[in-house]
Amino acid sequence: MDANTYSLKQVLTQDRRYVIPTFQRDYEWTLDGQWALLFEDLVETADRLFQARQQAAASGEPLAKADRKVPPHFLGAIVCDQLPAAVGGLDLRAVIDGQQRLTTVQLVLRGVLDVLIEHRSPRANQVRRLLENHPDIVGSPEERHKLWPRRKDRQVWPVAMADDLPEQGTHLYLQARRYFSQRTREAVKGAEPERLDTFVDALLDLFKLVVIDLEDNDDAQVIFEVLNGRQTPLSAADLVKNLLFLRGELSDEKELEKIYDTYWAPFDEPWWKTEVGRGHAQRGRRDVLLSGWLTAVSRSEASVSHLYGQVRSYLDSAGRKTVDVLAELHDFGRAYRVVVGAEPAEAQSLRQSYQRLDVLGITTATPLLMWLRTLPPDSLSAVDHALAVQAVESWVVRRLLVGANTRGYGKVFVDVLKGAAERTAVGGPSLVEAVVRVLRGADDTLWPDDDELVKAFATRRFYGNLTQERIRLVLGAIDQYLQENNPKTEPATFSYEKLQIEHVMPRDWRKHWPPTATDEAGKLLETQRRDEALHRIGNLTLVTPTFNNSVSNGSWAVKRPEFAQQSKLQLNASLADCETWTVETVDERSRTLAGLAAMVWPRFSA
């Protein structure tokens, strides 16, 4: 990042175009809000400069030394991103932040120029150089202007900058031009000729901007947040939108407004701007979508926090048209809505997998899931699509159940995407096989097998290590499987997310579940084994709100009939059949649940 403080003369004398992205917000500065205050600052700065020069003249001090004693006025910062330009052509900068400020500065300069022309001042040409590029390097009428506004205002801007300003017109550009012209006339009226020169010098040399020019590795998002005190979250989507359409303009792509309405306008709806995630990871859905799209198309894990710079790098290297990128984004947007459940998937199995992955918070899989939905049927059939997503779900849940490390999931799913994409490009094994091969890993250890599930269910503490939401998901999925595969009973439908987790042997078992051993050593061993088994999955079940919580800590003789009342949940049907509930019963049920989990989430063959 190149960040420096420059006078207006240093910033604007260069032959350069500052381009405002097409879909930036409206120009909003007004007389009461900013114009009057800005001009008062100019008058005060010019007064200080004039007084310093008067004192220097009286004392014989060099004027240059007197000028250096006058404190400058800082206008604030602008952030610019360098744009590709033809060799030998005008240097181009996209104004990423500070368009209101830079636009107003141009209008002030134009107002001052009006007065200089009226006074036939030789300084007029100098000020004009801050508004217009040199005619020798101007290739088209719009290149004449140092500042080129967003598309909506490009007809009025040349009018606002012309020497002959029409008396009619209510656009804020025209109002500002008239205001600054009149205030300048009033400020120098009746004053000695040097006063006008001092006024110009104050504006050109003592009004200063912090200009931040982004370099290739700079991130506009981070800079924005710092400049704005991190008070409001920055939308990477707005930055990327401006970047895309500005590139389209500079490439002379046609019908950009129609393209905007067709492909981007839906992303401006409130649903897309709603933030998802938690804490520092909270981002608008548009930003999440862009991150997922970029990960999918670049085959490299993108960061929501540094999205603008990464999209810019991708566009530089990909050389794609704006309309093609936006059409692809539009397709990914429709896919995203289905993946997160805003719209239903075609198949029940897909809806179920998407919902479970969403509950588990596995957002690193989202780019892969979106990409799969954008593939045409001749590349991915509906059956294989459902199998590929089921494979992802199975891999994630099995690793969750055995307590595997989740670090690096983003890279794994990018590798899956690469493997699947290579298959679609060159043929060979099916896409599902390509997905499974990557998920199993080179040494076939990434995807836990059935033995690992049995071991985890028999020894691992589930309650306390997994969130209740995740335990509820696992037990609910097993019950749903039992419901669908039990021919002896009419299946029931439950909203599993609303059920409660119940310890069969209660956490406070010591009150009503006395040890069965008679000697102290046996009691100690039994106590230890119960405490170890207490939070294993074999001792956990789901109950409906009708479960009598008053018996939750009661003895097995008291709780057993209550579970019989809960037998529509297949998880509980076998509980009521148990004469006793012991550590051995917990172990046996853990093995049973492990076997069921292996069927709900099968380990696919490579």
Side-chain angles (χ1 to χ4, degrees):
M1 178 181 71
D2 181 20
N4 292 287
T5 301
Y6 298 107
S7 67
L8 293 187
K9 183 169 65 179
Q10 291 171 312
V11 175
L12 295 172
T13 301
Q14 303 176 66
D15 288 313
R16 173 179 293 171
R17 294 179 70 205
Y18 290 93
V19 184
I20 308 297
T22 297
F23 297 101
Q24 276 272 29
R25 61 190 174 95
D26 291 342
Y27 178 69
E28 297 174 340
W29 281 20
T30 60
L31 170 60
D32 294 332
Q34 292 86 16
W35 301 345
L37 292 174
L38 178 61
F39 201 86
E40 288 302 324
D41 291 334
L42 175 57
V43 170
E44 291 176 7
T45 304
D47 286 344
R48 290 195 297 268
L49 180 60
F50 186 76
Q51 292 170 8
R53 286 178 173 179
Q54 291 285 78
Q55 293 171 1
S59 63
E61 182 182 30
L63 290 182
K65 185 176 180 180
D67 288 354
R68 288 196 296 271
K69 293 180 181 179
V70 180
H73 176 75
F74 287 95
L75 292 167
I78 61 172
V79 180
C80 300
D81 190 9
Q82 187 163 357
L83 295 171
V87 175
L90 281 168
D91 191 25
L92 292 178
R93 292 287 191 277
V95 183
I96 302 301
D97 189 28
Q99 64 125 332
Q100 307 277 338
R101 181 174 292 109
L102 189 57
T103 301
T104 306
V105 163
Q106 287 276 292
L107 293 165
V108 172
L109 287 165
R110 182 60 252 197
V112 172
L113 178 57
D114 288 341
V115 179
L116 292 173
I117 293 173
E118 292 166 6
H119 284 70
R120 298 183 181 181
S121 169
R123 305 293 300 275
N125 286 335
Q126 183 185 14
V127 172
R128 193 181 294 277
R129 285 287 289 121
L130 276 69
L131 297 170
E132 300 174 3
N133 290 307
H134 196 282
D136 291 347
I137 58 172
V138 169
S140 59
E142 64 268 17
E143 288 186 351
R144 169 188 172 191
H145 301 282
K146 290 288 177 75
L147 180 75
W148 195 231
R150 62 190 191 136
R151 183 181 291 259
K152 181 180 177 181
D153 296 326
R154 287 177 186 170
Q155 288 186 335
V156 71
W157 184 254
V159 176
M161 290 291 107
D163 284 348
D164 296 324
L165 181 67
E167 295 182 2
Q168 303 299 319
T170 60
H171 194 287
L172 283 175
Y173 291 165
L174 304 178
Q175 293 184 44
R177 160 81 177 275
R178 296 189 192 103
Y179 173 77
F180 290 126
S181 297
Q182 184 58 32
R183 286 298 307 271
T184 303
R185 291 186 191 96
E186 295 169 357
V188 300
K189 183 178 181 180
E192 53 268 47
E194 306 91 67
R195 180 73 176 184
L196 183 55
D197 284 339
T198 304
F199 201 82
V200 173
D201 289 337
L203 178 59
L204 270 57
D205 290 291
L206 296 180
F207 263 40
K208 299 197 172 186
L209 283 168
V210 176
V211 180
I212 301 173
D213 277 315
L214 299 182
E215 297 174 346
D216 288 341
N217 294 324
D218 293 332
D219 198 314
Q221 290 173 241
V222 175
I223 294 169
F224 256 56
E225 290 173 0
V226 171
L227 288 176
N228 290 286
R230 300 185 183 270
Q231 295 175 2
T232 55
L234 175 71
S235 170
D238 287 328
L239 289 173
V240 170
K241 172 190 68 176
N242 290 333
L243 177 67
L244 281 168
F245 282 98
L246 189 53
R247 284 175 177 253
E249 287 180 49
L250 297 174
S251 300
D252 292 324
E253 294 190 41
K254 307 302 181 184
E255 297 185 316
L256 287 178
E257 285 88 353
K258 182 178 179 181
I259 292 170
Y260 180 92
D261 292 338
T262 302
Y263 296 123
W264 187 272
F267 297 136
D268 288 332
E269 295 174 1
W271 187 87
W272 279 106
K273 295 182 179 181
T274 301
E275 291 191 343
V276 292
R278 298 176 181 174
H280 294 298
Q282 272 194 333
R283 295 286 173 178
R285 288 192 177 106
R286 296 188 304 177
D287 290 4
V288 176
L289 166 67
L290 282 168
S291 175
W293 161 78
L294 184 60
T295 296
V297 298
S298 67
R299 311 289 193 260
S300 178
E301 191 174 2
S303 167
V304 178
S305 300
H306 303 280
L307 193 54
Y308 174 79
Q310 292 177 348
V311 171
R312 184 178 58 171
S313 297
Y314 168 75
L315 294 175
D316 285 342
S317 61
R320 303 179 64 191
K321 290 185 177 180
T322 297
V323 63
D324 295 334
V325 172
L326 287 169
E328 187 174 62
L329 264 174
H330 188 261
D331 288 342
F332 270 76
R334 290 188 298 182
Y336 177 83
R337 286 182 59 84
V338 177
V339 168
V340 300
E343 295 178 10
E346 309 80 11
Q348 170 61 26
S349 62
L350 276 176
R351 290 197 294 270
Q352 184 171 270
S353 292
Y354 290 150
Q355 181 183 22
R356 289 173 181 171
L357 289 169
D358 185 56
V359 169
L360 294 174
I362 309 300
T363 57
T364 47
T366 303
L368 170 63
L369 300 178
M370 288 194 296
W371 177 76
L372 289 172
R373 292 198 62 81
T374 63
L375 295 178
D378 58 348
S379 295
L380 182 64
S381 69
V383 172
D384 280 356
H385 185 186
L387 286 173
V389 176
Q390 186 184 7
V392 172
E393 178 198 345
S394 173
W395 185 86
V396 167
V397 175
R398 282 192 174 229
R399 289 179 61 84
L400 169 78
L401 294 174
V402 303
N405 197 330
T406 60
R407 189 174 301 162
Y409 273 20
K411 181 182 182 304
V412 170
F413 289 123
V414 168
D415 289 342
V416 172
L417 212 157
K418 288 179 182 177
E422 288 172 4
R423 177 265 161 201
T424 59
V426 302
S430 73
L431 186 144
V432 177
E433 289 176 303
V435 169
V436 170
R437 286 181 181 180
V438 179
L439 290 177
R440 289 178 73 109
D443 55 0
D444 204 30
T445 60
L446 287 180
W447 199 334
D449 59 24
D450 292 358
D451 290 339
E452 291 176 271
L453 281 185
V454 171
K455 181 180 178 181
F457 275 48
T459 61
R460 190 179 180 215
R461 175 187 174 126
F462 275 71
Y463 195 88
N465 282 340
L466 295 185
T467 65
Q468 293 195 31
E469 187 177 43
R470 291 182 170 187
I471 295 172
R472 193 179 292 112
L473 182 149
V474 172
L475 293 175
I478 292 174
D479 184 81
Q480 182 179 339
Y481 177 84
L482 291 171
Q483 298 279 355
E484 294 169 353
N485 291 277
N486 187 346
K488 297 181 180 180
T489 184
E490 182 179 348
T493 301
F494 295 93
S495 298
Y496 291 103
E497 69 278 3
K498 297 180 181 178
L499 301 184
Q500 303 168 7
I501 298 171
E502 176 71 13
H503 286 73
V504 182
M505 177 172 59
R507 283 176 283 182
D508 194 15
W509 61 265
R510 286 171 172 79
K511 285 185 179 180
H512 302 288
W513 294 56
T516 58
T518 57
D519 60 297
E520 290 302 318
K523 289 181 180 180
L524 182 61
L525 178 61
E526 189 173 353
T527 297
Q528 180 181 344
R529 293 186 64 212
R530 284 187 177 185
D531 285 340
E532 290 173 351
L534 183 62
H535 297 301
R536 290 175 188 156
I537 198 165
N539 192 51
L540 303 177
T541 192
L542 296 176
V543 295
T544 69
T546 62
F547 185 82
N548 187 354
N549 289 323
S550 66
V551 306
S552 186
N553 288 321
S555 66
W556 180 240
V558 173
K559 291 191 74 171
R560 184 183 176 190
E562 192 64 31
F563 280 120
Q565 296 295 319
Q566 298 275 316
S567 60
K568 284 190 176 180
L569 279 158
Q570 294 294 303
L571 276 174
N572 297 329
S574 60
L575 291 181
D577 294 334
C578 295
E579 295 291 337
T580 60
W581 192 261
T582 64
V583 171
E584 288 74 21
T585 316
V586 172
D587 291 342
E588 181 181 352
R589 185 166 181 267
S590 292
R591 288 189 293 271
T592 299
L593 291 178
L596 291 168
M599 289 185 276
V600 175
W601 295 287
R603 188 175 190 255
F604 286 43
S605 299

